[in-house]
Amino acid sequence: ALVLLPSIFGADVLAAPQRAATSANNWQEDFRRCLIRKPFDGGTVTIYTTDGSLEIDVLWTDDTALDGFKAAEIRAEIDQKQIEMQPRKGDAGETVYAYELGSFAMVAPLLSNGRWLALSLADHPERNLRLSIGNGRKAMGFLKKCHDYWEKWRKRHP
């Protein structure tokens, strides 16, 4: 819907309403945590970088998280190219709340140029997800820049 603004020099001015801060093709960026987040109908996908790898987490609106499923049940693809996800291990060897997609060097080019990220859960087809990657090049550029910034910061502030 268009909005009528006050007349300027006697001419009526029409304006489109303000759009949300992020369009459907953009990822929400969080510089403090080095992550990108994209909502989908039914939840949110979060991708972040740590120690040279890209990790993924999915949270559905009913508070079900991706880490509630076994790695053997999950199949990840970017434009039909399968990604071998692994459960992320903490410092003590315990599994933590995310899955590793792979090294940044391997996965970032796929996300930069890809159109679709698909997650399939073998025993839970209602959780299958096909997410438009949108502007993946911008998102991966942001994660690289963020990671580099915080690495330099850690070196200067031991």
Side-chain angles (χ1 to χ4, degrees):
L2 294 175
V3 177
L4 186 61
L5 295 176
S7 295
I8 299 176
F9 299 113
D12 290 332
V13 178
L14 294 176
Q18 285 250 332
R19 293 190 170 236
T22 58
S23 74
N25 285 331
N26 289 335
W27 292 78
Q28 299 166 355
E29 300 169 346
D30 184 333
F31 194 77
R32 188 171 55 98
R33 295 183 189 103
C34 277
L35 63 81
I36 54 174
R37 183 175 286 129
K38 190 169 204 181
F40 64 91
D41 186 30
T44 304
V45 172
T46 303
I47 297 176
Y48 45 97
T49 181
T50 55
D51 300 326
S53 69
L54 285 174
E55 298 171 15
I56 187 169
D57 191 25
V58 179
L59 182 62
W60 284 271
T61 52
D62 64 358
D63 288 334
T64 301
L66 188 61
D67 67 335
F69 301 97
K70 294 182 176 126
E73 296 180 327
I74 305 170
R75 180 179 165 148
E77 296 179 344
I78 298 172
D79 290 348
Q80 301 177 344
K81 179 173 176 29
Q82 188 165 350
I83 306 295
E84 297 295 328
M85 289 185 6
Q86 298 294 321
R88 173 113 160 88
K89 301 288 184 186
D91 293 336
E94 77 282 4
T95 299
V96 294
Y97 59 88
Y99 279 91
E100 187 176 327
L101 286 170
S103 72
F104 190 93
M106 181 191 82
V107 179
L110 297 173
L111 284 168
S112 290
N113 300 312
R115 297 188 64 168
W116 298 99
L117 169 65
L119 294 176
S120 303
L121 288 87
D123 295 333
H124 304 279
E126 72 280 4
R127 300 287 180 185
N128 290 352
L129 170 66
R130 187 168 186 251
L131 182 74
S132 170
I133 293 173
N135 195 341
R137 186 173 314 278
K138 180 179 180 284
M140 292 302 102
F142 166 79
L143 286 179
K144 174 82 172 106
K145 179 179 165 183
C146 185
H147 177 75
D148 291 349
Y149 172 85
W150 287 112
E151 284 298 308
K152 288 176 186 173
W153 189 91
R154 282 184 200 90
K155 288 178 182 175
R156 287 188 306 233
H157 301 90

